[in-house]
């Protein structure tokens, strides 16, 4: 069998929804449909000058979701693999549902950046993890992990610091950990060069940007964040996503980014990924 590139089958919003509904969320053992991240009524298909345009909007589960860029990229890759190449696809975050939606939408709309991302083997591995698991296996994991996940979600809705994080638009409650440390020891000052190792989802970077005045035009400070995960863009910070701090290539990139600067403060809130089994980590 082969696909005739000159023949374009008509499509509608339901067909697009069927293609992306079973994409797995990168953080929770549920599909994007189960988490209401994608919905049929947020998909539009239109014909114009013999071209078909598909517009997919998705809604992150929380306003500071650090996986929003990865989710958008997974949707784009899935549709690129499934649709006729002449169909124009636009993927964006639903308006008003994410703190950095404008920056993420620009990334998802930038063809060159998307193409570069698709050539990044580490990033594509993460994307494929969202795409490859069959629905039956996803449901199996969901049933096993449901109690734990619901406990986590309940805590996020009622925890004092999680509530404060949402009120202050921090990406995670851990921001207050760094705030407390800095209030006590006064580590962060304007003009400093700061390296945040393991910076996802970016809450510590947000605190550094605020306390070092990095969004000011005349600021001489610099913040570089590094993480294995995809970290959404943050004004005032330079982020290296999908990079292993122990890799010589990443260390060389950090050196290039610093351009001779002396690092004043190194931050790290890294921890190994738990497997659920005592004494074993990945």
């Amino acid at each position: 069998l082969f696909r005739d590139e000159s023949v374009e089958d008509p499509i509608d919003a339901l067909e697009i929804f069927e293609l992306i509904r079973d994409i797995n969320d990168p953080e929770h053992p549920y599909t994007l449909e189960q988490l209401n991240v994608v919905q049929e009524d947020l998909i539009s298909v239109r014909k114009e000058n013999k071209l078909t345009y598909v517009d997919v909007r998705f809604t992150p589960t929380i306003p500071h979701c650090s996986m929003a860029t990865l989710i958008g990229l997974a949707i784009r890759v899935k549709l690129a693999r499934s649709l006729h190449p002449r169909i124009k696809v636009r993927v964006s975050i639903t308006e008003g549902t994410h703190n950095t939606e404008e920056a993420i939408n620009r990334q998802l709309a930038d063809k060159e950046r998307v193409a570069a991302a698709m050539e990044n083997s580490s990033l594509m591995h993460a994307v494929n993890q969202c795409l490859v698991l069959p629905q039956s296996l996803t449901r199996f994991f969901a049933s096993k992990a449901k109690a734990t996940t619901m406990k986590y979600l309940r805590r996020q809705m009622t925890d004092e610091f999680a509530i404060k994080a949402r009120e202050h638009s921090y990406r995670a409650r851990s921001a207050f950990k760094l705030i407390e440390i800095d209030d006590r020891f006064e580590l962060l000052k304007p003009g400093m060069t700061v390296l945040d190792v393991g910076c996802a989802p970016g809450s510590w970077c947000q605190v550094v940007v605020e306390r070092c005045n990095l969004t000011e035009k005349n600021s001489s400070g610099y913040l570089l964040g590094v993480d294995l995960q995809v970290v959404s863009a943050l004004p005032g910070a330079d982020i290296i996503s999908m990079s292993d701090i122990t890799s010589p290539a990443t260390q060389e990139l950090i050196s290039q980014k610093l351009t001779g600067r002396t690092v004043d403060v190194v931050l790290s809130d890294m921890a190994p990924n738990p497997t659920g089994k005592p004494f074993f980590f990945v």
Side-chain angles (χ1 to χ4, degrees), residues 19-20 23 69-83 89 91 108 113-120 123-132:
L19 290 172
I20 64 176
I23 294 176
T69 304
L70 179 57
I71 291 171
L73 184 59
I75 294 172
R76 282 206 58 157
V77 171
K78 175 65 175 181
L79 294 179
R81 292 175 179 176
S82 306
L83 299 176
V89 177
V91 177
L108 294 174
R113 296 191 69 170
V114 171
M118 294 177 69
E119 293 178 358
N120 184 314
L123 184 54
M124 286 309 299
H125 174 74
V127 168
N128 287 329
Q129 290 299 305
C130 296
L131 303 180
V132 297

Side-chain angles (χ1 to χ4, degrees), residues 20 51 54 165 219 223 240-241 274:
I20 64 176
L51 291 177
V54 173
S219 174
L223 166 61
I240 304 175
S241 294

Side-chain angles (χ1 to χ4, degrees), residues 172-179 181 195-205 226-227 229 245 266-273:
R173 64 199 294 274
S174 57
F176 295 100
K177 186 192 306 183
L178 180 58
I179 288 173
I181 293 172
L195 176 63
D196 186 357
V197 181
C199 65
S203 58
W204 278 25
C205 286
V226 185
D227 202 278
Q229 300 183 36
I245 187 62
V266 177
L267 302 175
S268 180
D269 196 26
M270 290 191 299
N273 294 326

